Amino acid sequence: MEEVLNHSVLLHEAVGVVASITPWNFPFSQIAIKVATAIAAGCTVVVKPSELAPGCPLLFAEIFENAGAPTGVFNLVSGSGSEVGEFLVSHPATSMVSFTGSTKTGVRILKAASTGIKRSTLELGGKSPFVILPDAEIEAAVLWGME
C-alpha cells in the first residue's frame, strides 16, 4: 500500500464555472457558503439569488468588490428562477450547478443540468418543523406542507 501511495499522483483540477442558485431564507449565509466553496476549489461562480431577497446579494457583491477580488471570480445575476436560473443551468459554459431550495424546483434544475451532463449539488426540501394547531384544517395544512 505504501509503495502504491508513493507512486500515485493526485491531481487537483477546478471544475470551471459554478452556477449557484440560492433561496430566500438565510440569503447572506447561503451565498457566502456557495461562493467560498467554489472559490476555494479554484472555480469562478455566478450567483442567482432568490428574487424575494435582493438586498443581501447586492451587499455581498459590494463587499466582495471592495475586498479587491479579481473581476469575474464572483458574478451576480438577478431575475426569476424560471428564466434566469434556467438559462444559467442550461448554459454550455456552466460546469456545475449548486442549488438550495424546493424539491419541485430541484427536479427542474436537475433535468436542465442533465442535458449538458453538469455536476450538480442539490439541497432540497425544508428542515424546519411544521406545526399544525388544533384549529387548523388538517387536510389543507398537510397538502400545503407537501408542496
Side-chain angles (χ1 to χ4, degrees):
M1 176 102 176
E2 187 175 322
E3 185 176 276
V4 173
L5 290 176
N6 288 335
H7 296 289
S8 296
V9 175
L10 185 58
L11 177 65
H12 294 275
E13 188 175 292
V15 171
V17 177
V18 177
S20 295
I21 302 172
T22 60
W24 61 269
N25 56 339
F26 305 106
F28 199 88
S29 64
Q30 286 288 321
I31 293 169
I33 290 166
K34 290 181 183 299
V35 170
T37 54
I39 292 172
C43 301
T44 58
V45 61
V46 179
V47 174
K48 199 306 266 177
S50 169
E51 57 273 18
L52 301 176
C56 285
L58 292 173
L59 177 61
F60 189 91
E62 184 179 328
I63 291 168
F64 206 83
E65 183 177 0
N66 289 340
T71 302
V73 171
F74 169 78
N75 304 277
L76 180 67
V77 296
S78 59
S80 74
S82 60
E83 292 177 23
V84 177
E86 201 158 324
F87 177 82
L88 273 177
V89 171
S90 60
H91 195 280
T94 301
S95 303
M96 181 174 178
V97 177
S98 175
F99 170 75
T100 301
S102 73
T103 302
K104 183 178 177 181
T105 303
V107 169
R108 287 183 58 200
I109 286 174
L110 193 56
K111 284 180 182 178
S114 69
T115 61
I117 312 177
K118 297 172 184 358
R119 295 178 188 190
S120 303
T121 303
L122 307 175
E123 181 185 357
L124 305 176
K127 294 178 183 66
S128 302
F130 186 61
V131 178
I132 301 176
L133 300 176
D135 63 339
E137 295 179 34
I138 299 297
E139 282 187 43
V142 169
L143 291 174
W144 181 82
M146 293 172 56
E147 288 186 3

